[in-house]
Amino acid sequence: MLFQLPEINREATKKKIEAILDNYRVVLLQVPDDLLPKVTAGFNLVPPSNTNAFHSSTEDTAIKRTEMEEKRNDFLAKVQKAVNRLPANERQIIIMRYMSQDHRFDYEVYNEIGMSSRTYFRIKSRAFYNLAFALKEEVYVKGSAS
């Protein structure tokens, strides 16, 4: 019995991977300013509960910040590992186009690599397909799983 892979929705998969790679660049530069601890007194009309549990906004902020940083680092590591599993030419395209500090357009990347436009887009498409499998983010066509 042979393994039959269900049909992949290429366009939806491409959009999903592009969104992940765009998110990667944003997350890489992200500094959470909104989770700073409060340094001024706050007043509330609701009386405190009598649970004898200590509640500190500074501790809550520190915990949220640590959890958020851990999630961010996990996401970055997951994407980096998946990209590192790609073949060299696919990896080069993805890194130059989506993972560098400066925003580049496709024509800048394929001119810098010295590749024709057609070859570049063919390899880029294959890179998205492989990256979707590496990240387990592929989108299947409904009803194609046999």
Side-chain angles (χ1 to χ4, degrees):
M1 180 173 200
L2 294 173
F3 175 71
Q4 189 76 23
L5 185 67
E7 187 179 348
I8 301 291
N9 184 339
R10 289 187 175 267
E11 194 58 37
T13 300
K14 178 185 174 196
K15 286 181 182 179
K16 193 170 187 179
I17 295 300
E18 278 185 332
I20 288 171
L21 291 172
D22 288 339
N23 192 24
Y24 174 88
R25 186 179 285 154
V26 171
V27 169
L28 197 60
L29 300 173
Q30 182 182 11
V31 177
D33 290 338
D34 59 320
L35 292 179
L36 295 175
K38 295 178 186 174
V39 291
T40 58
F43 297 99
N44 197 350
L45 296 176
V46 179
S49 63
N50 296 324
T51 61
N52 292 332
F54 181 72
H55 179 72
S56 166
S57 67
T58 306
E59 287 178 356
D60 290 344
T61 302
I63 290 169
K64 282 182 188 176
R65 204 165 223 203
T66 304
E67 289 172 351
M68 210 169 135
E69 191 170 323
E70 187 175 307
K71 285 180 184 177
R72 184 175 64 230
N73 291 341
D74 289 346
F75 172 74
L76 293 174
K78 179 182 173 184
V79 173
Q80 288 168 352
K81 283 180 184 179
V83 169
N84 285 336
R85 292 177 62 192
L86 296 175
N89 55 357
E90 294 176 10
R91 183 172 53 238
Q92 181 183 19
I93 288 172
I94 296 295
I95 289 172
M96 289 179 75
R97 173 68 171 90
Y98 295 100
M99 298 176 83
S100 63
Q101 291 293 336
D102 53 334
H103 181 74
R104 292 183 175 171
F105 296 102
D106 286 320
Y107 70 89
E108 293 173 324
V109 175
Y110 67 70
N111 284 332
E112 189 173 328
I113 296 173
M115 192 178 285
S116 72
S117 172
R118 182 170 185 257
T119 303
Y120 170 82
F121 285 108
R122 201 169 57 235
I123 292 173
K124 181 180 169 186
S125 174
R126 192 170 52 233
F128 279 168
Y129 191 72
N130 290 336
L131 196 55
F133 280 112
L135 291 171
K136 296 180 177 83
E137 295 289 340
E138 63 272 11
V139 179
Y140 295 104
V141 174
K142 291 184 178 175
S144 68
S146 315

